[in-house]
Amino acid sequence: MSAVYARRRLATLTALTALASGAALLTGAPAQAAPPAPVSAATARTYLGQLTVKAEGSSDGYSREKFPHWSTQSGACNTREVVLKRDGTNVQQDSSCAATSGTWKSPYDGGTWTAAADVDIDHVVPLSEAWKSGASGWTTAQREGFANDLTRPQLIAVTDNVNQSKGDQDPAEWMPPTASYHCYYARMWVDVKHYYKLTVNAEEKTKLSSVLNGC
């Protein structure tokens, strides 16, 4: 086997391996554009067992301003516009990075929207929930990082009134209307809470355990 042929064969095998790995990563993920995939259900069950169970703290002192959000990410684009672009299809933006057209499918309820105004960016673990489960002791910079986290499955474009109905409720109190998304949502929630070392209350853990055991 010539050295040139060997190099070409290795390059082909490497490319095929990368394609296979990419396909594996997509297994079980929603079909539409989405946030970074959360950990698997098995890993989420392990992570859930590692979270500290504690009654929620007080909301005293909480305000959304203590979690600076929609920070500038690049040029004129803030976090909201980055998520709208990421989670939509054929999204067009103007010179200020505002989405002027596109299509968004909300995995929470299956709604499809063609106006950015009909779409909210949900914090999977709400800011108030984070405050009551540990973030009250963070610095403002840490809270800003949490509120604008594009690396973990913490931000997602969804139907605005569905997001508003969720408010700051945890999974024991609210789950997405689309039942088939519950497993994915629980994985997202646990992934984020585990990374940020946030606590869970007993009812929240019971609900998450039930969902994850059914995945």
Side-chain angles (χ1 to χ4, degrees), residues 161-180:
N161 61 2
V162 173
N163 182 48
Q164 290 154 23
S165 73
K166 170 184 172 178
D168 64 354
Q169 299 178 93
D170 69 32
E173 303 161 320
W174 186 93
M175 290 291 284
T178 299
S180 61

Side-chain angles (χ1 to χ4, degrees), residues 130-175:
W131 177 270
K132 293 180 288 188
S133 55
S136 61
W138 295 352
T139 65
T140 299
Q142 288 173 316
R143 289 192 288 264
E144 181 175 12
F146 174 84
N148 296 275
D149 190 349
L150 294 166
T151 303
R152 277 149 287 279
Q154 164 64 348
L155 298 170
I156 184 168
V158 297
T159 302
D160 55 0
N161 61 2
V162 173
N163 182 48
Q164 290 154 23
S165 73
K166 170 184 172 178
D168 64 354
Q169 299 178 93
D170 69 32
E173 303 161 320
W174 186 93
M175 290 291 284

Side-chain angles (χ1 to χ4, degrees), residues 24-84:
L25 286 173
L26 290 174
T27 302
Q32 69 272 7
V39 295
S40 68
T43 299
R45 288 191 288 269
T46 298
Y47 280 5
L48 182 59
Q50 296 171 350
L51 294 178
T52 298
V53 179
K54 184 179 179 181
E56 284 188 352
S58 171
S59 59
D60 289 352
Y62 167 75
S63 72
R64 289 178 66 84
E65 288 68 32
K66 292 186 177 180
F67 291 79
H69 49 289
W70 311 159
S71 302
T72 300
Q73 292 294 332
S74 177
C77 299
N78 65 26
T79 307
R80 172 180 165 80
E81 300 301 347
V82 170
V83 177
L84 285 173

Side-chain angles (χ1 to χ4, degrees), residues 4 43 54-55 78 104 109-110 114 126-127 139 154 188 190 196 215:
V4 172
T43 299
K54 184 179 179 181
N78 65 26
W104 293 269
D109 62 321
T114 55
L127 305 182
T139 65
Q154 164 64 348
M188 294 165 76
V190 173
Y196 285 99
C215 290

